Amino acid sequence: MIEMADGSYKRVDAIQFGDIVKTINGPERVIYTDSDLNKIGKSYTDYYFDNSTALRIIRDHRVYNPKRNRYVHLSELKIGDEIVANDGSRAKLIVKETVNEPINHYCMFTEKCSGYYANGVLCGCCFSNIKPIWLRKILLKLYMNYVYFIERR
């Protein structure tokens, strides 16, 4: 569930262009989502944290790792590594299990690619570590043009 700017929650597959989500930089508009592309992955991994939070992730989505002071692929986390929760607290990874079953894949970008909250965990996209924000926005625009050309033709 993605945390919206108004404090409500929305399923990731229901996120649409223009929705306003809660980010670490305040409310941001969603400017890209691929929920209409019906991407299917061959497997997924469930991550469980000691604060009762869980994430089900396909491929390499990113979460904020305070020890490394950056967004890292979830697959890089080892048992005991910490993430940041939406209340600012930290939680440790206690279990990760890979399941070899098909699952839908979803992705979204906000206008500044700021960290957003999924199931109460601070998550980011492939551009979230890039600073300054103006460079992040240029790279995002180039990427979106590429994706539009390749995936939507």
Side-chain angles (χ1 to χ4, degrees):
M1 300 292 280
I2 305 297
E3 189 169 355
M4 308 305 288
D6 65 3
S8 64
Y9 292 86
K10 202 171 194 182
R11 290 176 49 103
V12 67
D13 59 340
I15 296 289
Q16 297 178 356
F17 179 87
D19 283 348
I20 309 294
V21 298
K22 176 183 176 180
T23 76
I24 60 168
N25 293 320
E28 284 187 31
R29 187 171 55 94
V30 173
I31 59 170
Y32 173 81
T33 177
D34 64 0
S35 59
D36 62 326
L37 295 178
N38 296 319
K39 292 182 179 179
I40 306 290
K42 295 179 182 176
S43 65
Y44 59 90
T45 304
D46 287 330
Y47 295 84
Y48 300 95
F49 299 91
D50 66 356
N51 66 348
S52 301
T53 299
L55 289 173
R56 174 166 286 170
I57 302 294
I58 180 175
R59 297 198 297 180
D60 273 332
H61 286 284
R62 290 170 173 81
V63 294
Y64 189 78
N65 179 267
K67 182 178 181 181
R68 294 178 61 189
N69 194 29
R70 62 180 317 209
Y71 293 90
V72 300
H73 290 122
L74 265 163
S75 62
E76 295 176 39
L77 291 183
K78 296 174 179 52
I79 302 300
D81 283 352
E82 292 183 325
I83 53 91
V84 175
N86 60 352
D87 63 1
S89 65
R90 295 180 180 188
K92 289 184 180 179
L93 177 64
I94 54 174
V95 175
K96 64 179 180 179
E97 300 174 335
T98 298
V99 179
N100 292 311
E101 293 178 1
I103 187 170
N104 290 336
H105 170 260
Y106 303 100
C107 179
M108 69 173 209
F109 295 122
T110 62
E111 54 198 332
K112 295 180 187 172
C113 292
S114 299
Y116 60 91
Y117 298 93
N119 286 8
V121 174
L122 179 55
C123 297
C125 72
C126 55
F127 301 107
S128 296
N129 286 321
I130 298 172
K131 294 177 181 154
I133 289 178
W134 63 265
L135 178 58
R136 186 185 309 168
K137 291 170 86 174
I138 289 170
L139 293 172
L140 175 62
K141 187 170 187 167
L142 290 170
Y143 175 79
M144 287 177 50
N145 286 334
Y146 168 79
V147 167
Y148 184 81
F149 177 75
I150 298 298
E151 294 182 346
R152 298 186 188 268
R153 53 185 171 141

